[in-house]
Amino acid sequence: MGAVTLRVGNLDAMIAYYRDAATLTLLSHDGPIAVLGRGSTPIVILQHAPELAAAEPRSSGLFHTAILFETQAQLAAAVYSVGTTHPGSFTGSADHLVSQAFYFNDPEGNGIELYWDRDRTEWSWTHGQVEMATLYLDPNAFIGEHLTRDGQAHPSTGTAIVGHVHLSVGDVATAREFYVDRVGFEATASLGGSALFVSAGGYHHHMAMNTWNSAGSGRRRLALGLGEVDIILPGTDDIGALNERMSHFGVQTRHDGQTLGFDDPWGNQIVVRTK
């Protein structure tokens, strides 16, 4: 997965949150666009759009951007940083068997997951479906066990990437048809008719779609919140093949030879590119 673009009302406040609380680095700031990430890897792109209104309640859009940390120590440093600078933004935590995760809302209500993956050898698969759960995870105990002095002093050290992107959608059956049957992801897990998890290459999930806050929602109107989701493919040939696939299914695309853009059934903008 590539960077997630967010349309924001207060650019300065959002930069401060992702930089000073979520421990990302400000990679560039050019007028209304700010890019934050780790190293040379962009994770969140903030697009200043103060003319837009907030998204309607229970609409489709972003459920959360999930930032994957390489080690538990790096995750603990980020969780500690958010918890001490913006404690009111914490919304929960869980052990999902494949990962340990902590959840927050940024100042404009966009969901964030900060997480660490267990080694793939510890994941359990049955008939092509990965076993995941939602078990209690004490954030204070996690921080106490894994936070180091160096991590506390230098919380932005280490690598991080967008591990997955979780969307709010109107219904799961349509999401499965679009993201599995058309885009080509593999379904890796589902929660009845309320959530679907999909991936490529045997990961537990690169994207997820749920109806927990958005059941029955239709196409989004232009609003603050999710701007676009980037998906990274190995080469331009892969992008060309996906464009042909989407055209076969009658999905309108925007293809310039280097990137491929299209909307899902709820108007969530997807852009596919190479590194």
Side-chain angles (χ1 to χ4, degrees):
M1 300 302 292
V4 171
T5 298
L6 301 175
R7 301 186 187 101
V8 304
N10 187 329
L11 183 60
D12 290 340
M14 293 287 275
I15 290 173
Y17 183 87
Y18 282 95
R19 179 191 61 206
D20 303 334
T23 72
L24 301 183
T25 301
L26 183 62
L27 303 181
S28 66
H29 185 185
D30 184 10
I33 305 292
V35 181
L36 295 102
R38 286 286 185 92
S40 60
T41 302
I43 292 175
V44 176
I45 300 173
L46 304 177
Q47 179 181 359
H48 195 208
E51 73 280 4
L52 297 180
E56 296 172 353
R58 306 192 68 79
S59 65
S60 54
L62 183 69
F63 189 69
H64 62 235
T65 301
I67 302 173
L68 173 61
F69 292 85
E70 189 174 17
T71 68
Q72 288 171 299
Q74 292 169 12
L75 173 58
V79 173
Y80 178 80
S81 175
V82 182
T84 52
T85 60
H86 290 76
S89 68
F90 176 71
T91 60
S93 56
D95 187 321
H96 294 305
L97 300 182
V98 295
S99 63
Q100 293 176 308
F102 300 85
Y103 298 94
F104 304 87
N105 283 334
D106 73 19
E108 297 193 3
N110 300 292
I112 307 167
E113 175 183 339
L114 308 179
Y115 78 112
W116 166 82
D117 274 338
R118 289 191 169 88
D119 191 86
R120 290 192 182 209
T121 60
E122 299 182 50
W123 303 355
S124 178
W125 294 81
T126 304
H127 304 301
Q129 301 290 286
V130 67
E131 183 182 359
M132 293 191 289
T134 301
L135 307 177
Y136 177 69
L137 177 61
D138 186 327
N140 292 315
F142 181 88
I143 290 170
E145 181 177 357
H146 298 291
L147 182 64
T148 65
R149 288 186 178 181
D150 186 63
Q152 186 173 348
H154 307 285
S156 298
T157 301
T159 60
I161 61 172
V162 176
H164 64 269
V165 178
H166 200 143
L167 300 177
S168 294
V169 300
D171 71 278
V172 167
T174 302
R176 179 184 290 272
E177 180 185 24
F178 186 82
Y179 283 101
V180 177
D181 298 342
R182 299 187 179 189
V183 178
F185 280 111
E186 297 175 347
T188 57
S190 61
L191 297 176
S194 68
L196 173 70
F197 302 82
V198 303
S199 82
Y203 191 55
H204 54 73
H205 66 293
H206 286 111
M207 295 191 73
M209 307 92 204
N210 77 65
T211 61
W212 300 329
N213 300 319
S214 56
S217 61
R219 193 171 179 86
R220 300 171 59 202
R221 64 176 176 83
L222 185 62
L224 295 175
L226 181 62
E228 68 179 45
V229 175
D230 278 13
I231 298 175
I232 309 298
L233 291 184
T236 54
D237 288 347
D238 302 289
I239 293 177
L242 178 58
N243 185 46
E244 291 181 8
R245 181 183 177 94
M246 300 305 277
S247 296
H248 169 77
F249 285 107
V251 178
Q252 291 188 343
T253 62
R254 303 171 290 277
H255 188 213
D256 62 8
Q258 298 296 318
T259 64
L260 175 67
F262 51 85
D263 294 353
D264 78 3
W266 298 276
N268 297 308
Q269 297 178 17
I270 310 297
V271 176
V272 183
R273 64 180 79 244
T274 61
K275 267 194 173 181

